[in-house]
Amino acid sequence: MTNYFPIHINIEYKTVVIVGGGHVATQKVASLLPAKANIVVVSPTLDDSLVPLAESGQITWHEKEFEPRDLDDASLIIAATNDTSVNEAVQEAAQHWQLINRTDAQAESDFITPATVRRGPLVLTVSTSGASPALARKIKADLEEQFDAVYDDYVCFLQQARLMIAAKFEKGPQRRAALQSLLEPSLLEWTRNGEIDRREAFLQQILMGEAR
Ligand SMILES: C[C@@]1(CC(=O)O)C2=NC(=C\c3[nH]c(c(CCC(=O)O)c3CC(=O)O)Cc3[nH]c(c(CC(=O)O)c3CCC(=O)O)/C=C3\N/C(=C\2)[C@@H](CCC(=O)O)[C@]3(C)CC(=O)O)/[C@H]1CCC(=O)O
Ligand SMILES: NC(=O)c1ccc[n+]([C@@H]2O[C@H](COP(=O)([O-])OP(=O)(O)OC[C@H]3O[C@@H](n4cnc5c(N)ncnc54)[C@H](O)[C@@H]3O)[C@@H](O)[C@H]2O)c1
């Protein structure tokens, strides 16, 4: 088994070339869009769900069969055709500095993609190292329930509050205590209930040095 190294890559405006435009390509596009990658799909056909994205310019579609020069600008490459010999050709054509995901051959891949739950800045990813993508998907569904949509607002609040605390207190025990008290569970509940005044009052107490 490969022990993958998990990292969150800033792929903004970098080119990701996906060879193949079917079901798997659609999943990869969905996870790349929020990361604002420059997504290029090379494929003679395009899944219906991707057509509007190509029309609106959110992805670039090169309506053609794969050729090695399609990879010229790629930081990441995803070989996602239903033809093993084409996926092999993509791998052959990749330069040593380009990282490739062979969706049909995990052992040949430089990276694999986890199941992902996004709640604003909170990003939860699940990988089984390829042992069971179905389990990864199930755990993702469990996480979506446990960390529901409110976490988006909640984590954004924590982010703002952390900046305010950092501006107010020097590094040290007082700042640490203040940051720790932000994890008071009521803050999540107040966010959930729209009780923003109570949330704000609690933050003000912390900023006054009345952290509990
Ligand atoms: C998580 C998710 C993210 C994503 O795709 O981005 C993902 N697979 C998802 C769905 C899914 N995968 C499969 C089915 C069909 C039913 C089933 O079997 O369940 C479905 C369901 C569906 O499609 O709806 C089968 C399958 N998957 C792989 C192979 C090939 C092989 O094993 O070699 C085959 C057999 C192909 C065949 O034999 O035909 C390989 C990979 N799939 C991975 C990720 C990577 C390892 C993840 C890990 O476990 O760590 C890895 C190694 C490579 C990669 O990164 O591409 C996404 C969840 C979507 C979500 O977010 O909800
Ligand atoms: N990683 C995963 O999660 C996962 C899940 C299921 C299947 N797979 C594997 O992924 C591969 C793709 O599956 P799919 O369901 O997306 O298939 P699909 O049939 O939906 O799509 C295949 C795409 O490849 C394109 N294609 C074919 N020949 C091409 C060429 N020469 N150049 C460019 N594009 C070409 C087709 O036009 C089509 O758009 C399969 O090999 C399958 O084994 C991976």
Side-chain angles (χ1 to χ4, degrees), residues 51-200:
V51 172
L53 295 176
E55 284 171 354
S56 65
Q58 288 176 275
I59 65 173
T60 303
W61 177 28
H62 293 162
E63 188 177 350
K64 63 190 278 296
E65 293 200 345
F66 170 73
E67 293 168 277
R69 66 186 164 95
D70 294 324
L71 304 181
D72 280 356
D73 301 324
S75 296
L76 295 181
I77 297 164
I78 298 175
T81 79
N82 51 356
D83 183 335
T84 307
S85 65
V86 176
N87 291 342
E88 276 168 2
V90 176
Q91 187 181 356
E92 275 292 298
Q95 303 291 316
H96 67 89
W97 50 268
Q98 293 173 313
L99 297 179
I100 178 166
N101 171 226
R102 279 270 309 261
T103 59
D104 61 331
Q106 188 195 336
E108 302 297 324
S109 296
D110 295 317
F111 68 96
I112 60 172
T113 48
T116 304
V117 179
R118 285 183 184 272
R119 300 291 183 236
L122 177 65
V123 182
L124 304 167
T125 57
V126 184
S127 174
T128 64
S129 306
S132 171
L135 176 62
R137 183 166 221 181
K138 180 181 178 300
I139 294 173
K140 171 185 164 176
D142 293 345
L143 288 172
E144 279 172 336
E145 235 176 85
Q146 187 182 349
F147 297 91
D148 59 11
V150 171
Y151 274 81
D152 188 336
D153 186 6
Y154 173 58
V155 179
C156 287
F157 164 75
L158 292 180
Q159 185 175 29
Q160 291 305 319
R162 176 171 176 264
L163 291 175
M164 290 164 82
I165 287 170
K168 172 95 193 215
F169 301 114
E170 300 284 310
K171 272 194 184 133
Q174 205 181 7
R175 186 196 281 192
R176 262 202 310 281
L179 291 172
Q180 203 56 39
S181 52
L182 274 183
L183 298 182
E184 160 62 41
S186 305
L187 285 170
L188 174 60
E189 283 320 302
W190 292 333
T191 305
R192 186 180 302 289
N193 301 335
E195 297 176 84
I196 303 308
D197 293 351
R198 292 180 81 174
R199 190 175 81 173
E200 199 49 40

